[in-house]
Structure formats: C-alpha cells, structure tokens
Amino acid sequence: MPSTCAPLLRVRGLTVSYNARSQQPVAALRQVDFDIAPGEIVGILGESGSGKSTLALSILGLLPESAQVEGSIVLDGEDLSNAADSRWTKVRGAKVAMIFQEPGLSLSPVMRAGDQIGEVIRAHRSGGRKQRKLEVEAALKDAGISDVDRIYRAYPHQLSGGELHRVAIAQALVCRPALVIADEPTRSLDVTLQAQIRNALRDINRTYGSALIFITHNPALLTGFADRVMVMYAGRIVEAGPVAQVYRRPLHPYTKGLLQLVPEPVQYSGHISGFVRRERLPAIPGSLTRFDQLSRGCAFEPRCSARTPDCQIESPEEIVPELDRRVSCFNHGN
C-alpha cells in the first residue's frame, strides 16, 4: 500500500526524444512527473505507442545512446539522471529490476535457469556457490514454483510459458530490489496463468515490500491488484489516481474509452458470477499518429468525443480536481 514517507522513486520533467532520419526528433515521453512510494503497486495503462516501455527503460537506464533525455530520475534518494553505465550496472538487479514481456527472449538458451538467476546474485554480492543455490531455490519458491529442482536444472526451451514467466520473476526478485518493473508480463498467457502470475507478484510485494510498476494495456488486470493507476497517452500521463476511484469515475475521455473495454461483472448474492457479454465490442475511434504527437493542441483531440476548439490550440495543463486525482483535460469529467 502507499506510504506517507519519502518516495522511493521520484521522476520530474522526464522527456525522451528519438532522432528520426531526415525528420525532427520524435518525443516518446513529454514532461512526465510522478512518485512511487515504498511497497506501492502502480499500474501504467495505455495503448501501444503511448510511451509505457520507454518510461520503463528510462527508469532502468537502458535507453539507446541516440535518445535525448531531459529531466530527473531519483531512486532511493540517488539522482540517476546522469549516472555512468558502471553505476547503472550496480543499480540494476540490486535496487531496480525488470520483468520483460517475453522472458524466453531475455534468458540465455545455453544456460540452465538456476544458473542464470544465480548470476544476478554473483553480480551484486559475494558468497559461495552453495549459498547462491540456496538463494535461487528460495526465489523460485517465492515465484510460485513447486518443482524447484527440475526448473533449476532446465534450459529455457524445456520450460512452458508459465514456467518461463516464473523464472523471470525469480530472476528479477532474487536480490530483493526495492522496485520491480513488470512490462506486460502476462500478455502472452491465458487467463488462468495471468491470475497466477499476478498473485505471485502480489504475494512477493506483501512479503518483501518491493514496490511494483505493472505496465499493461488491459485495464482489467489492475482491478483488485494495483493501488494506483497512471494512464498514458502520446508520451504523457493524462490521468492518475487510486484504481477504484479512476475506474468508478474516470475524468479523461481516453480513460473512459479504455475502461469501456472491460467486461461488466455480474453480481449474484454479493459475488461476481460472470461478465456481461456485449453484442458489439467498443472501440476508441482512430489511432495515435506521429502528427498528433507533434501538434500544439491536445494529442487526443482527433479521437475525442468531448473536444472543443480550445483543444486544437493548446495542450491542457495538469490539474488536481480532487484529492489524489490528476488529469490533463480541458473538459475533464464530461
């Protein structure tokens, strides 16, 4: 749950641009500000191209050299904005770790799963092989693996999709980082495995207090899981607040559009017994283009049902309409 103490992660004015050949630089992130409290679970919600993954790579110091970066990233009191690669190498895995969308691609095909997890420990702490093995086995158990010995000795190609995801979780959490970033970690899994992976992440969050940034395009995955949600569009956070409040009464038209994609639960005797089947799937009209991002007005204006002439002229500033809520929209709540 959110804490009242100093933030674990503080991001201010983060702007990231990529050079495009024969064209002006394209901003993937624009003036992003937010805090993450120790032990908090925060969901980052948005379509592909909204800037979610660029934000994750910025926090991990993994942006390409061609990226132009402005703003500050302060993790656990340390300003990493201009940190050298050697410093980032020590920070990644120890203080902040990442669970990638396709864990099979981030694991070496020629190393056993247990040895790969052990390499994270060896990079950050001293200790013998026997002690590392015990720590790896404990991390695998924490990730929800019961057949620890088999998984430890297996190569990635010998594991199922669900097992690969659990290995990736164990690898990210084996050094007990203060912050874990999960980039769509359940995207390729079925509904049952999605729930299992979410439960494993929540159990680890409760047991060890690691804060979690959970990136997704699916609003339903944050329900009953995340403390807060930050909705991203065209490289900006357009709305943020507690999940329950944002989902019950979204203020930004884009958030409303995303939440229409979530099936409505059917209640029976106080319990959810199923979901309403809609005759026609809702959709947000149009798509985000590079020209929308370069416009001087609101980037969502071409797709917005609540747009006014002002939306074409300038980009809305962020306001705080109520406690713990943030939104960037001239016509919020309409």
Side-chain angles (χ1 to χ4, degrees), residues 40-301:
E40 186 178 23
I41 299 179
V42 176
I44 299 181
L45 178 64
E47 297 170 288
S48 296
S50 60
K52 306 187 304 294
S53 294
T54 296
L55 178 58
L57 295 177
S58 300
I59 299 170
L60 287 157
L62 290 176
L63 290 171
E65 292 184 2
S66 60
Q68 303 173 19
V69 184
E70 299 176 5
S72 64
I73 298 173
V74 179
L75 177 64
D76 199 18
E78 180 182 1
D79 191 341
L80 297 170
S81 308
N82 298 304
D85 289 342
S86 58
R87 180 56 190 156
W88 274 114
T89 300
K90 294 180 180 179
V91 169
R92 283 192 295 267
K95 287 190 174 184
V96 57
M98 179 104 166
I99 302 169
F100 290 94
Q101 188 176 130
E102 294 294 341
L105 300 178
S106 62
L107 295 170
S108 170
V110 296
M111 287 183 68
R112 299 182 190 274
D115 292 335
Q116 296 194 55
I117 299 172
E119 282 299 299
V120 178
I121 301 173
R122 194 163 71 91
H124 297 288
R125 293 202 298 264
S126 59
R129 182 179 179 86
K130 185 176 181 180
Q131 177 60 32
R132 284 201 301 274
K133 187 173 188 297
L134 292 174
E135 292 184 44
V136 171
E137 290 173 344
L140 289 169
K141 289 178 182 177
D142 287 341
I145 291 174
S146 55
D147 192 358
V148 169
D149 188 56
R150 178 181 67 84
I151 301 298
Y152 188 103
R153 293 183 289 105
Y155 291 96
H157 73 273
Q158 297 173 317
L159 301 175
S160 68
E163 289 168 343
L164 284 171
H165 279 75
R166 293 181 187 278
V167 168
I169 291 173
Q171 187 178 46
L173 291 160
V174 71
C175 284
R176 304 284 178 255
L179 175 64
V180 177
I181 303 171
D183 187 4
E184 305 238 25
T186 63
R187 187 166 191 166
S188 60
L189 302 177
D190 61 37
V191 175
T192 301
L193 285 175
Q194 284 182 355
Q196 292 177 4
I197 295 301
R198 277 201 328 167
N199 290 339
L201 290 171
R202 182 165 48 201
D203 290 344
I204 290 169
N205 165 264
R206 290 173 176 172
T207 302
Y208 298 106
S210 297
L212 176 66
I213 295 176
F214 190 93
I215 298 172
T216 183
H217 68 285
N218 184 355
L221 292 180
L222 302 179
T223 304
F225 174 67
D227 301 310
R228 284 191 299 128
V229 60
M230 299 191 301
V231 182
M232 293 193 68
Y233 188 81
R236 294 178 184 240
I237 297 174
V238 296
E239 182 167 359
V243 172
Q245 294 182 30
V246 172
Y247 281 25
R248 183 170 59 249
R249 191 170 61 86
L251 299 177
H252 197 284
Y254 178 62
T255 308
K256 292 180 183 179
L258 290 177
L259 294 180
Q260 288 177 356
L261 306 179
V262 180
E264 298 175 8
V266 177
Q267 298 275 345
Y268 179 76
S269 298
H271 300 283
I272 294 176
S273 58
F275 294 91
V276 174
R277 182 176 179 179
R278 295 187 171 108
E279 293 299 321
R280 183 176 180 180
L281 290 175
I284 301 173
S287 60
L288 176 64
T289 70
R290 179 174 178 272
F291 299 103
D292 296 330
Q293 291 174 298
L294 295 174
S295 68
R296 63 176 181 174
C298 174
F300 188 61
E301 182 271 335

